[in-house]
């Protein structure tokens, strides 16, 4: 049930954190999580199948890393975008594939704000949906409308 999935979430996060901080403790944490999961429920709730399997993440940095992690946990392929200055960044390494975006405007952030470049990246990658993350294009009705016009699902508020 709904309450049970919330109860299991902290255990998953602790397991992941322990695995990152001290790889030797990961096995013990996984065992502890299995025990706590059985205490709450013996079956997972049935999740609804998403209408897409590949998501372009229109953001950078920690926001993009978190979105990519959530997508991967749901079994989705991810496409990251990056400006030339960010080509070695963590968010580029955490996605299934990465595409460089450009802009005619100067600055390292400009490519992430270039609606046409981001939509073209989504189309060329075969992404069926775009997750804008936080900031940048997440509150842009023009971006949401451009995604919709290109036949790409925008994961966020409708452009109206």
């Amino acid at each position: 049930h709904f309450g049970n999935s919330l109860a299991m979430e902290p255990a998953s996060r602790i397991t992941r954190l322990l695995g990152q901080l001290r790889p030797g403790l990961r096995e013990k944490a996984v065992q502890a999580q299995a025990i706590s999961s059985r205490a709450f429920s013996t079956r997972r709730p049935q999740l609804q199948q998403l209408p897409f399997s590949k998501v372009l993440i229109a953001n950078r940095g920690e926001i993009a890393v978190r979105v990519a992690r959530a997508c991967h946990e749901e079994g989705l392929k991810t496409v990251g975008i990056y400006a030339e200055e960010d080509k070695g960044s963590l968010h580029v390494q955490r996605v299934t594939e990465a595409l460089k975006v450009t802009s005619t405007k100067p600055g390292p952030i400009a490519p992430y704000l270039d609606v046409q470049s981001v939509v073209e990246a989504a189309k060329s990658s075969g992404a069926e949906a775009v997750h804008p993350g936080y900031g940048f294009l997440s509150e842009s009705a023009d971006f949401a409308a451009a995604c919709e016009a290109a036949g790409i699902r925008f994961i966020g508020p409708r452009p109206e």
Side-chain angles (χ1 to χ4, degrees):
H1 291 56
F2 184 72
N4 293 343
S5 65
L6 288 178
M8 289 188 290
E9 187 177 13
S12 296
R13 287 188 179 168
I14 291 169
T15 301
R16 191 177 313 130
L17 181 61
L18 285 174
Q20 291 170 351
L21 297 177
R22 295 186 185 157
L25 294 178
R26 181 159 172 50
E27 292 74 24
K28 290 179 184 177
V30 168
Q31 290 171 349
Q33 179 185 356
I35 292 168
S36 73
S37 294
R38 283 192 299 264
F40 290 109
S41 174
T42 57
R43 62 186 154 119
R44 293 185 62 153
Q46 291 291 338
L47 299 177
Q48 196 173 36
Q49 181 67 31
L50 295 172
F52 46 84
S53 61
K54 192 173 192 180
V55 178
L56 180 128
I57 303 165
N59 216 296
R60 67 192 281 256
E62 181 61 23
I63 298 297
V65 169
R66 289 178 183 215
V67 173
R69 182 184 318 137
C71 288
H72 290 155
E73 287 174 358
E74 293 298 320
L76 301 171
K77 293 178 185 170
T78 53
V79 179
I81 58 172
Y82 65 92
E84 180 63 31
E85 295 84 353
D86 289 335
K87 67 181 170 188
S89 296
L90 184 61
H91 78 275
V92 176
Q93 299 167 23
R94 297 286 191 217
V95 293
T96 310
E97 64 183 276
L99 297 173
K100 181 178 171 183
V101 288
T102 59
S103 177
T104 57
K105 296 178 183 173
I109 303 297
Y112 297 98
L113 298 172
D114 191 304
V115 171
Q116 183 179 349
S117 184
V118 174
V119 170
E120 280 301 316
K123 288 184 348 188
S124 71
S125 71
E128 301 147 319
V130 171
H131 192 301
Y134 177 82
F136 289 138
L137 296 172
S138 66
E139 298 175 17
S140 171
D142 292 338
F143 180 57
C147 289
E148 192 173 276
I152 300 167
R153 195 177 290 259
F154 179 78
I155 303 172
R158 299 206 30 90
E160 293 89 40

